[in-house]
Amino acid sequence: ETGVTQTPRHLVMGMTNKKSLKCEQHLGHNAMYWYKQSAKKPLELMFVYNFKEQTENNSVPSRFSPECPNSSHLFLHLHTLQPEDSALYLCASSPSSGEQYNEQFFGPGTRLTVL
Amino acid sequence: GEDVEQSLFLSVREGDSSVINCTYTDSSSTYLYWYKQEPGAGLQLLTYIFSNMDMKQDQRLTVLLNKKDKHLSLRIADTQTGDSAIYFCAERGGQNFVFGPGTRLSVLP
């Protein structure tokens, strides 16, 4: 049990659908992250939230919309996705994003398939 | 920008030692990390090393850091089938982590 949970674990959606991914951490951390893991690319950082404020948007297309209502929850809202967006989406948390030693705890990921 | 490189595949026999290598470009990296990802799971931190160290040992794991050459390695002694996974090297010089592409370790019986 890593203390970071993600739902759903698997999601299949059409290009016109709207869906949301949810991440919850039970570790008392203040920073949360979304990563995209594709089959043929290194792990890509998408968004960083520190104390509920977005501190990083790594040139992510607007069809991905993050939301962080509090330090324990992070959402990724999806709409009009493309097949190339199919990937494993990983959520992580850490005590804060500003410390040099900053272990990130990862959730199990949501396997997204866009048809 | 920062870059982290790893070989993509490594096969070893059960009981042998595994050595996974990593090179990075950011000389300001203060901490370097090794993460493990098993099938269907997220990344799990295995170990880390502070940049002013050149070696760290933790049970079967030995991390070697050559800061001059920006080279990091992870040695797994007495490799077991349960060690089969993808191993990611990561560095953190700025605010965010930069991960390598991962090395898929296969342990043969």
Side-chain angles (χ1 to χ4, degrees):
Chain A
E1 174 59 56
T2 63
V4 181
T5 58
Q6 290 187 243
T7 54
R9 293 294 307 277
H10 300 272
L11 177 62
V12 179
M13 59 188 288
M15 289 192 286
T16 58
N17 291 159
K18 287 185 182 181
K19 296 286 184 185
S20 295
L21 310 185
K22 179 182 176 183
C23 175
E24 185 173 359
Q25 57 95 2
H26 313 272
L27 301 167
H29 290 166
N30 295 307
M32 296 188 78
Y33 310 76
W34 278 117
Y35 287 89
K36 176 183 179 183
Q37 187 178 31
S38 306
K40 298 183 179 178
K41 288 186 179 180
L43 204 60
E44 298 174 76
L45 178 66
M46 299 174 73
F47 301 104
V48 180
Y49 278 82
N50 200 29
F51 294 92
K52 301 189 295 178
E53 298 296 320
Q54 188 180 122
T55 59
E56 183 90 15
N57 176 338
N58 209 16
S59 303
V60 180
S62 59
R63 56 186 184 269
F64 295 91
S65 173
E67 179 191 359
C68 187
N70 55 61
S71 292
S72 299
H73 294 85
L74 184 65
F75 295 89
L76 188 62
H77 304 299
L78 316 170
H79 65 97
T80 58
L81 294 193
Q82 305 298 312
E84 59 264 30
D85 297 322
S86 298
L88 182 68
Y89 288 84
L90 291 165
C91 173
S93 73
S94 67
S96 78
S97 66
E99 301 298 325
Q100 267 302 306
Y101 175 67
N102 193 13
E103 179 181 349
Q104 295 192 354
F105 292 78
F106 283 81
T110 295
R111 173 70 61 188
L112 174 67
T113 303
V114 181
L115 301 177
Chain B
E2 302 101 346
D3 194 20
V4 178
E5 297 288 340
Q6 299 176 242
S7 53
L8 297 182
F9 301 97
L10 176 65
S11 290
V12 299
R13 294 226 170 259
E14 192 174 10
D16 288 351
S17 292
S18 308
V19 179
I20 303 171
N21 293 302
C22 169
T23 58
Y24 60 97
T25 58
D26 188 353
S27 57
S28 68
S29 297
T30 307
Y31 287 92
L32 296 124
Y33 304 80
W34 283 104
Y35 280 83
K36 176 183 180 182
Q37 185 179 33
E38 295 182 1
L43 277 67
Q44 175 192 3
L45 180 69
L46 275 183
T47 187
Y48 67 93
I49 189 166
F50 187 48
S51 60
N52 69 352
M53 299 168 67
D54 52 21
M55 187 181 90
K56 180 179 180 181
Q57 187 149 3
D58 185 1
Q59 299 182 337
R60 290 191 297 123
L61 305 178
T62 303
V63 179
L64 295 178
L65 174 61
N66 181 328
K67 196 173 179 183
K68 174 176 168 290
D69 295 339
K70 301 192 188 70
H71 183 265
L72 183 73
S73 68
L74 174 69
R75 179 176 179 271
I76 305 173
D78 186 25
T79 312
Q80 303 297 308
T81 54
D83 295 323
S84 294
I86 303 176
Y87 291 80
F88 292 89
C89 169
E91 62 90 11
R92 188 165 187 265
Q95 182 167 338
N96 297 319
F97 282 76
V98 178
F99 286 84
T103 298
R104 184 178 295 276
L105 175 63
S106 299
V107 182
L108 310 173

